[in-house]
Amino acid sequence: MFKRLDRLLIELPVPEYGDKNAAAAVQELLGGKFGEMSTLNNYMFQSFNFRGKKKLKPFYDLVASITAEEMGHVELVTTSINLLSKNQTFSGSPDETPLRAGLDARNTYSFIATAQTALVGDSMGRAWSGDHVFNSGNLVLDLLHNFFLEIGARTHKMRVYEMTDHPTARETIGYLLVRGGVHVVAYAKAIEIVTGIDLTKMLPVPDLDNSKFDYARKYEQQGLDNILYTWSNHDYKDISKIWKGTHPLNGRPLEVIEGNPKGAPIPDLDDLPEEFAPGINKDDYIRIAKKLMENL
């Protein structure tokens, strides 16, 4: 089962104005082949379908705990896209074309389909597909795929970071660069235990150094490049049998934290009357509030 907390992994800067085309680029980090929807669903179905959970518990615990973190990554990138869509249109009568900004947007579909919020798709507007999920049932093959998947995801994050200087986008990507680097190393260590092959000797692929990314540096200073969370106060503790020793790049001790990070408040999205969203006016709100308070 999953336990949900009404918190965001990190605090994101809430801009006065977003950037509709930056939002389109960040869509790749959500619904692209190497986006967070792919990492989540790869690990989630591998954990659901895992054979020998008791016999191979440390490896099951690793995939299962990272699954929970990826759920938070999906939420984080989605929220980032929503904030990057802020104040791109204006309230007005339909004849004033209040959504005219959508005509020049890289991703016009979000103006039409989701009231300027995230799509379950990539930067080209293609819907995310379950075909991106790899679950062979073979432990070594799945771990090797996950190692490759995290490296591909990191590559795309670095490239999108170089496309936009919007603070909200870069805050999200900076954090994910650090956490994705952790997952690269975690899967490499798991593969080494199973096979004896030290994939960390291949690193960096293409580059695990976050020092040149301003928005990633502070998260490394907080030690987030050396931590794996169990995402449970009771289960998945055997990740400590894999996540141990020192980090192959920075040389600092690796740490397992039982539970989850503290998180930050989730920004509330404003009404968009021009998008008929959420479609509840002042009178509706008063009527609904009265109804909710009945018989309490």
Side-chain angles (χ1 to χ4, degrees):
M1 297 185 291
F2 290 91
K3 179 180 180 180
R4 181 165 181 170
L5 303 177
D6 193 23
R7 303 279 287 175
L8 203 60
L9 284 168
I10 59 171
E11 184 174 1
L12 289 179
V14 179
E16 182 177 0
Y17 294 98
D19 182 329
K20 57 183 180 293
N21 290 325
V26 174
Q27 277 285 162
E28 190 67 30
L29 307 184
L30 176 62
K33 184 175 182 179
F34 293 93
E36 302 298 343
M37 284 291 297
S38 290
T39 51
L40 167 64
N41 281 280
N42 271 268
Y43 309 156
M44 183 163 64
F45 280 93
Q46 286 175 17
S47 67
F48 290 166
N49 297 334
F50 199 100
R51 295 182 183 273
K53 290 183 176 71
K54 294 180 180 178
K55 185 187 300 182
L56 298 168
K57 188 173 183 297
F59 302 97
Y60 167 66
D61 283 5
L62 181 69
V63 177
S65 60
I66 294 179
T67 295
E69 179 164 1
E70 295 297 345
M71 187 74 77
H73 289 186
V74 169
E75 183 178 37
L76 181 65
V77 177
T78 298
T79 303
S80 179
I81 293 167
N82 293 341
L83 293 176
L84 287 167
S85 304
K86 187 177 179 183
N87 285 335
Q88 299 299 291
T89 57
F90 62 91
S91 298
S93 72
D95 288 335
E96 293 177 301
T97 57
L99 300 180
R100 69 183 66 166
L103 287 178
D104 299 320
R106 174 67 186 79
N107 196 337
T108 299
Y109 189 54
S110 70
F111 286 77
I112 298 170
T114 62
Q116 300 173 62
T117 53
L119 298 162
V120 190
D122 66 13
S123 57
M124 298 299 291
R126 291 181 293 247
W128 183 83
S129 171
D131 290 340
H132 298 325
V133 173
F134 184 88
N135 177 204
S136 71
N138 180 279
L139 178 61
V140 176
L141 186 53
D142 285 347
L143 291 173
L144 190 60
H145 171 269
N146 297 352
F147 176 76
F148 166 73
L149 178 60
E150 289 287 352
I151 288 172
R154 177 176 175 80
T155 304
H156 286 193
K157 290 179 179 72
M158 291 191 293
R159 291 172 177 168
V160 175
Y161 188 102
E162 293 181 336
M163 287 182 183
T164 174
D165 61 359
H166 196 286
T168 302
R170 286 198 162 181
E171 192 73 40
T172 298
I173 299 170
Y175 174 80
L176 293 176
L177 285 173
V178 174
R179 295 307 299 161
V182 169
H183 297 166
V184 170
V185 175
Y187 285 125
K189 290 178 77 65
I191 291 167
E192 182 180 7
I193 292 172
V194 177
T195 67
I197 305 298
D198 185 3
L199 287 186
T200 62
K201 293 180 178 178
M202 294 176 56
L203 302 177
V205 186
D207 188 355
L208 286 184
D209 180 13
N210 290 315
S211 63
K212 46 188 184 220
F213 297 96
D214 287 345
Y215 284 80
R217 198 174 301 122
K218 70 177 182 181
Y219 295 111
E220 288 199 333
Q221 291 171 351
Q222 296 172 19
L224 292 184
D225 53 338
N226 282 58
I227 292 172
L228 267 183
Y229 299 93
T230 62
W231 298 91
S232 169
N233 293 326
H234 308 287
D235 302 313
Y236 312 122
K237 295 179 182 180
D238 278 356
I239 61 174
S240 61
K241 295 180 180 178
I242 296 173
W243 192 249
K244 60 184 178 180
T246 58
H247 196 291
L249 298 182
N250 64 38
R252 298 197 304 272
L254 302 177
E255 180 183 3
V256 171
I257 293 181
E258 294 180 11
N260 48 270
K262 181 179 178 181
I266 300 176
D268 196 2
L269 301 181
D270 297 331
D271 294 354
L272 278 188
E274 64 271 27
E275 292 275 18
F276 319 104
I280 304 297
N281 60 31
K282 183 178 180 180
D283 291 338
D284 290 332
Y285 178 79
I286 293 172
R287 176 180 52 80
I288 292 170
K290 289 181 178 178
K291 194 70 175 176
L292 290 172
M293 294 302 293
E294 287 180 3
N295 302 322
L296 286 182

